[in-house]
Amino acid sequence: MMKLIDERKENKRKLILEVVVVMITLLASCTLIMLSGLLEMETWLRVTLIAIGLVVMFGGIGVAAVLEMTAGYFECRKCGEYFVPTKTAYIMGAHTVMHRHLKCPHCGKRNWCRRRLAPKDEEKENA
Ligand SMILES: [Zn+2]
C-alpha cells in the first residue's frame, strides 16, 4: 500500500516539475532570442544568442518530455485497462495535458486515453 501511495505522489511531483521546467525554458530561451533581436550587437553575437536560446529550448522540452513520459499510466476508454505506453507511441501520439491518443495494448483500439497518476487498483480504492 505504501508503495502505491508514494508512486502517486512521485508522479504528481513529476508533472509539477515538468510545468516548472517548461516555464523556465520558455522564459530563458525567449529572453535570449528577444534580446538578440532588440539590442545592437555584432552579427556573430546575435547568432550565438539565438543558437543558445534554441539549445535551451530543445533541452528543456526534452527534459519535460522525459518527466511526463515516466509519470503514471494511461486509461483506455474502450476497455478501461491501465497501461504505460512505449516511448515511440508516446512521442508520436497527439496529446493534450491530461489525454493522449494511444493504441491500447489490451484491446488494440486507438483512442484518447486519460492520464492516471496511480495503478488501477489504487484508483478504485479512492473512487
Ligand atoms: Zn483497451
Side-chain angles (χ1 to χ4, degrees):
M1 258 329 278
M2 276 311 290
K3 193 187 153 289
L4 293 180
I5 291 165
D6 285 343
E7 186 174 354
R8 175 192 285 272
K9 267 191 192 154
E10 174 71 12
N11 286 332
K12 202 169 195 176
R13 203 179 58 86
K14 278 183 188 165
L15 288 177
I16 292 167
L17 194 62
E18 185 206 342
V19 173
V20 173
V21 167
V22 168
M23 285 193 310
I24 292 172
T25 298
L26 288 179
L27 195 67
S29 54
C30 288
T31 305
L32 280 170
I33 290 167
M34 262 169 54
L35 281 180
S36 72
L38 292 174
L39 299 179
E40 281 295 321
M41 64 179 78
E42 301 281 339
T43 305
W44 69 267
L45 192 55
R46 203 185 295 275
V47 172
T48 307
L49 276 186
I50 293 173
I52 294 171
L54 289 176
V55 168
V56 168
M57 193 183 284
F58 284 110
I61 288 170
V63 170
V66 168
L67 281 171
E68 199 195 307
M69 220 181 291
T70 55
Y73 306 81
F74 283 89
E75 179 188 7
C76 172
R77 282 195 174 172
K78 302 288 178 192
C79 66
E81 287 296 325
Y82 283 27
F83 63 95
V84 177
T86 64
K87 282 198 168 51
T88 319
Y90 197 94
I91 293 163
M92 299 304 284
H95 68 285
T96 63
V97 178
M98 292 308 283
H99 294 85
R100 193 165 283 263
H101 200 247
L102 294 165
K103 186 178 177 184
C104 168
H106 299 283
C107 64
K109 290 184 182 125
R110 287 195 155 272
N111 66 106
W112 283 95
C113 301
R114 188 177 150 77
R115 182 189 296 283
R116 295 291 185 188
L117 294 179
K120 193 175 185 179
D121 299 343
E122 200 213 339
E123 291 280 352
K124 282 261 165 72
E125 279 167 36
N126 287 343

